[in-house]
Amino acid sequence: MNKRVILITGTPCTGKTTVAKQLTTRLDALYINLTELAKTHSLTIGEDKTRNTTIVDEEEMRKKTAKTIDGTEKTTVIVDGHYAAAVVPKRYVTYVFVLRRNPIELRKFMEKRGFSDAKLRENLASEILDVCLIEALQEQETERVCELDITGKIVDAVVNQIIAVLNQKKPCSVGNVDWLGMLEKEGLLDDYLTIT
Ligand SMILES: Nc1ncnc2c1ncn2[C@@H]1O[C@H](COP(=O)(O)OP(=O)(O)OP(=O)(O)O)[C@@H](O)[C@H]1O
Ligand SMILES: [Mg+2]
């Protein structure tokens, strides 16, 4: 059976899980959260002490996600995680949605979540420098990568936008975000991007 596999990626705190869960309900899909999958199956290879995070075994994650996708009876699978593009094999992927959020808004979300200063700065830099988008473009077919600026949007609107792309009512495109240029123009670059 041909499955539709949709990846939801983006910098931590952009809103992946919130969007992916609602999309799962709307599409009656199987939901895979990569952080939870790694924890449940102990697919880690150590700790990154400076970052206070675990390091996942990408090869094992790739095997496990492929097995989970193959094993489900659901026709649609949603994979949620900032490294989803790197661990879901190309042959499975229908679309990769890269959620983008203006760093000014993203910083507020991260502060509300209680990110440490170091974590906040590192993840803000990732968003400003398009890290998840670049990874998606490196790992997956370009025409399957869709960049969505979800700044200021309610979850419903984001989910509707994704469904419109899936139904070919809206195009899938990249290159619509330039946080670096925006911050520079606003004179905010030094506040938001600190290279240490
Ligand atoms: N569209 C939205 N509007 C307002 N707040 C939102 C929206 N989407 C998510 N949030 C809030 O932003 C925070 C981060 O959302 P969420 O946990 O979905 O992000 P995430 O990308 O999955 O993060 P992580 O990478 O850490 O798993 C949460 O507190 C959530 O309630
Ligand atoms: Mg999440």
Side-chain angles (χ1 to χ4, degrees), residues 29-56:
L30 173 78
Y31 171 71
I32 303 175
N33 181 304
L34 293 179
T35 312
E36 285 168 13
L37 194 77
K39 271 193 209 147
T40 315
H41 299 279
S42 305
L43 305 176
T44 53
I45 46 172
E47 296 263 331
D48 182 337
K49 292 235 162 56
T50 42
R51 290 193 173 85
N52 196 23
T53 55
T54 49
I55 304 163
V56 298

Side-chain angles (χ1 to χ4, degrees), residues 8-20 31 33 35 80-82 99 101 105-106 109-110 112-113 115 119 123 150-158:
I8 307 291
T9 181
T11 307
C13 222
T14 41
K16 297 180 294 295
T17 300
T18 314
V19 165
Y31 171 71
N33 181 304
T35 312
D80 163 11
H82 68 270
L99 306 189
R101 197 177 285 286
E105 187 173 278
L106 185 60
F109 279 39
M110 288 174 173
K112 215 165 153 189
R113 261 254 190 116
F115 274 28
K119 195 171 173 189
N123 286 316
I150 65 165
T151 311
K153 290 198 170 142
I154 59 166
V155 183
D156 252 349
V158 181

Side-chain angles (χ1 to χ4, degrees), residues 3-181:
K3 287 189 181 116
R4 179 165 68 167
V5 177
I6 301 158
L7 315 189
I8 307 291
T9 181
T11 307
C13 222
T14 41
K16 297 180 294 295
T17 300
T18 314
V19 165
K21 284 194 167 163
Q22 192 160 315
L23 189 64
T24 299
T25 309
R26 288 273 295 272
L27 300 179
D28 185 27
L30 173 78
Y31 171 71
I32 303 175
N33 181 304
L34 293 179
T35 312
E36 285 168 13
L37 194 77
K39 271 193 209 147
T40 315
H41 299 279
S42 305
L43 305 176
T44 53
I45 46 172
E47 296 263 331
D48 182 337
K49 292 235 162 56
T50 42
R51 290 193 173 85
N52 196 23
T53 55
T54 49
I55 304 163
V56 298
D57 184 336
E58 284 202 4
E59 198 40 52
E60 284 305 310
M61 285 293 286
R62 204 166 288 125
K63 284 189 203 152
K64 190 73 204 171
T65 41
K67 214 170 152 191
T68 311
I69 294 167
D70 286 334
T72 183
E73 286 182 357
K74 298 270 188 190
T75 50
T76 304
V77 180
I78 314 280
V79 184
D80 163 11
H82 68 270
Y83 51 88
V87 299
V88 183
K90 229 186 223 179
R91 66 182 186 280
Y92 286 91
V93 175
T94 313
Y95 277 116
V96 185
F97 290 92
V98 185
L99 306 189
R100 306 303 307 270
R101 197 177 285 286
N102 185 316
I104 300 172
E105 187 173 278
L106 185 60
R107 175 142 94 177
K108 291 183 193 140
F109 279 39
M110 288 174 173
E111 281 166 354
K112 215 165 153 189
R113 261 254 190 116
F115 274 28
S116 69
D117 197 50
K119 195 171 173 189
L120 186 143
R121 297 220 159 260
E122 185 178 355
N123 286 316
L124 266 185
S126 295
E127 179 60 21
I128 295 165
L129 300 174
D130 308 324
V131 170
C132 282
L133 175 69
I134 292 166
E135 180 169 82
L137 291 169
Q138 277 169 349
E139 301 283 344
Q140 302 290 335
E141 308 283 356
T142 310
E143 63 275 12
R144 294 181 185 274
V145 179
C146 324
E147 187 182 33
L148 299 182
D149 179 4
I150 65 165
T151 311
K153 290 198 170 142
I154 59 166
V155 183
D156 252 349
V158 181
V159 171
N160 286 339
Q161 206 176 336
I162 291 174
I163 291 175
V165 173
L166 298 178
N167 292 337
Q168 297 179 345
K169 298 265 189 301
K170 284 236 168 88
C172 163
S173 64
V174 295
N176 26 21
V177 152
D178 175 17
W179 302 142
L180 207 54

